[in-house]
Amino acid sequence: MRILDRYVTKSMLSAFIGCMFVFMFLYIIVDLFSHLDDILKEGVAIAALLNYYLSFLPLMFIQISPMACLLSLLYSIGNLSKTNEIIAMRSSGLSIWRISLPALIFGLLISGFVFMLNERSLPKAQGINYQLKAELFEQNASKEKNVIYNLAIYGQDNKQFFIDIYHPKEEIMENVVILEHDENQNVVSKITAKKAYFRENRWLFRDCLISYFNEKGELLGEPFYFKNKVIYLKDRPNDFLSQRQKTMFMNIPQLNDYIKRLSNSGASAVLRKLKVNLYNKFTMPFTSLVIILVGIPFALGRSKKGQAIASLGLCIGISFLYYVFNQTSIAFGELGVIPPFVSAILSHAFFIASSILAIRRLP
């Protein structure tokens, strides 16, 4: 059986490499043309573009590998069906699970590589890519979105900022909570305000309430209320935007530590979103394995005619359905409709269960 396993694996591997090359090439071409005006205006050097797209490679591999795995499965199994080799395998007493074993192992290996890439290479590569993108051809687009919701960052002087709405262009914060900690991470003061404006190199708070606490977390006296209060903070508006990007570049241990430090802040919406992101880092790398499992009943149950077109159509259709289901599940988790852990595993669980049922129904 090792000969058969090697045969199927070799077929999938060659198809996978070809698919990855084509998809990455198309990915780069589409991205390149989307920034072509900026590239020509700024006169971006070829060496700079090369560095930019090299930093893009880990993200491209992670995003493209599930579709490449599925297409390579459909192609290799399709070739086996075309030459009646699947019929010969079944006639010799091999089950569908045994025939599919090399494909499942292949998917598991790709998923393991994606997990390692996601933890070790992607955070650093994304940081470099984001910086290069801003420097090369995002001068007009780098002004950020008009409004940012649920912003939570660690500022200077051991302060935590929780901002419901932040306007980068106007440099205005709405519904602000600032927690100051001591060296033991005990909250020593709390500032809440409806609005805060950055004017003349300082922050002006409106409808501001300041409370002080002892080491046990007990309130010291009555809170101080100010209609208008100037507070000198080392943090500037640009610091908020740079800090906002840091969670995007964290691996699992870093993000888990960040969530622990925010756990006592009361920023439930921010914590919920971060937890969804954390659990998704565990489940997302195994998308390739799940997608291969989903493709097995389609690969073994379809007709011989129109192999190439059918494979491509199935690949696009299955990938689209999975993407929609997964993004909907994540959105529900971030909104609090379902628990964060459930939102991360729901799409995997649904498609695995559906695939197992479909495989059992195959003749």
Side-chain angles (χ1 to χ4, degrees):
M1 297 311 299
R2 291 181 180 178
I3 296 176
L4 178 61
D5 293 341
R6 286 198 301 267
Y7 179 68
V8 176
T9 303
K10 183 179 179 181
S11 176
M12 283 196 66
L13 180 60
S14 59
F16 177 81
I17 294 173
C19 290
M20 290 299 298
F21 179 80
V22 172
F23 289 155
M24 283 187 173
F25 177 77
L26 293 175
Y27 198 119
I28 291 173
I29 290 297
V30 171
D31 186 80
L32 186 64
F33 276 95
S34 67
H35 296 104
L36 189 58
D37 290 341
D38 295 318
I39 293 172
L40 294 176
K41 284 181 182 179
E42 302 297 329
V44 179
I46 295 177
L49 280 177
L50 183 61
N51 289 332
Y52 168 71
Y53 285 111
L54 284 175
S55 68
F56 225 144
L57 289 180
L59 180 61
M60 283 192 287
F61 186 92
I62 290 171
Q63 291 182 341
I64 294 170
S65 56
M67 184 178 289
C69 281
L70 178 58
L71 193 55
S72 62
L73 169 73
L74 297 173
Y75 172 79
S76 58
I77 298 298
N79 283 340
L80 294 176
S81 297
K82 186 177 181 180
T83 56
N84 295 320
E85 291 175 275
I86 294 295
I87 296 176
M89 293 178 195
R90 297 300 306 277
S91 299
S92 65
L94 294 180
S95 66
I96 291 177
W97 289 110
R98 183 61 187 87
I99 296 172
S100 305
L101 182 61
L104 294 173
I105 294 176
F106 181 82
L108 183 61
L109 291 175
I110 295 296
S111 296
F113 181 73
V114 168
F115 185 86
M116 181 184 69
L117 201 65
N118 195 46
E119 285 300 292
R120 296 185 179 182
S121 301
L122 184 62
K124 183 178 179 180
Q126 276 191 306
I128 295 172
N129 181 266
Y130 182 84
Q131 182 179 356
L132 289 173
K133 190 174 183 180
E135 291 176 356
L136 294 178
F137 39 74
E138 261 203 2
Q139 294 182 2
N140 294 327
S142 62
K143 295 178 180 178
E144 301 290 333
K145 296 180 180 179
N146 292 331
V147 179
I148 299 173
Y149 296 94
N150 297 323
L151 181 61
I153 67 166
Y154 267 95
Q156 300 186 52
D157 294 332
N158 219 13
K159 290 183 174 63
Q160 286 179 305
F161 291 77
F162 304 96
I163 308 164
D164 279 352
I165 305 173
Y166 181 59
H167 305 266
K169 189 176 180 180
E170 295 82 7
E171 298 180 342
I172 297 175
M173 301 184 290
E174 294 187 34
N175 299 325
V176 188
V177 177
I178 303 175
L179 301 180
E180 182 180 0
H181 298 79
D182 60 16
E183 295 180 355
N184 298 319
Q185 293 301 309
N186 298 313
V187 178
V188 295
S189 70
K190 178 180 180 180
I191 301 173
T192 60
K194 288 187 177 180
K195 283 190 177 183
Y197 305 82
F198 189 71
R199 299 292 184 268
E200 298 179 357
N201 208 34
R202 59 185 182 177
W203 287 101
L204 174 62
F205 287 75
R206 297 280 176 85
D207 294 321
C208 177
L209 197 67
I210 303 178
S211 306
Y212 296 94
F213 304 89
N214 60 21
E215 294 181 355
K216 297 180 180 179
E218 299 171 343
L219 185 64
L220 297 175
E222 295 295 326
F224 297 94
Y225 173 78
F226 303 91
K227 184 65 177 179
N228 298 291
K229 176 69 173 176
V230 174
I231 300 178
Y232 293 92
L233 301 172
K234 292 182 179 179
D235 302 276
R236 300 293 185 263
N238 288 337
D239 297 331
F240 293 155
L241 297 179
S242 61
Q243 280 279 341
R244 175 176 173 256
Q245 301 298 330
K246 287 187 177 180
T247 56
M248 297 169 54
F249 311 141
M250 290 181 182
N251 56 26
I252 289 175
Q254 291 169 339
L255 186 57
N256 187 49
D257 181 64
Y258 189 74
I259 290 172
K260 286 181 179 179
R261 285 186 288 164
L262 291 177
S263 59
N264 296 324
S265 65
S268 57
V270 175
L271 282 169
R272 188 167 58 241
K273 188 174 181 179
L274 290 174
K275 286 180 180 179
V276 171
N277 190 10
L278 175 65
Y279 294 133
N280 194 50
K281 284 182 178 290
F282 284 101
T283 59
M284 181 275 295
F286 295 94
T287 301
S288 295
L289 177 61
V290 175
I291 285 292
I292 284 180
L293 186 62
V294 171
I296 288 173
F298 292 96
L300 294 175
R302 60 194 180 90
S303 62
K304 301 178 186 177
K305 297 181 180 180
Q307 297 286 342
I309 297 176
S311 295
L312 185 59
L314 279 172
C315 183
I316 294 174
I318 293 172
S319 300
F320 176 77
L321 286 175
Y322 180 86
Y323 177 81
V324 171
F325 196 100
N326 186 59
Q327 292 301 309
T328 302
S329 174
I330 290 174
F332 282 161
E334 291 179 348
L335 291 173
V337 178
I338 55 178
F341 178 73
V342 175
S343 73
I345 66 169
L346 185 59
S347 57
H348 281 20
F350 175 80
F351 279 92
I352 288 173
S354 301
S355 301
I356 292 174
L357 289 174
I359 290 173
R360 287 182 174 179
R361 291 180 181 179
L362 288 176

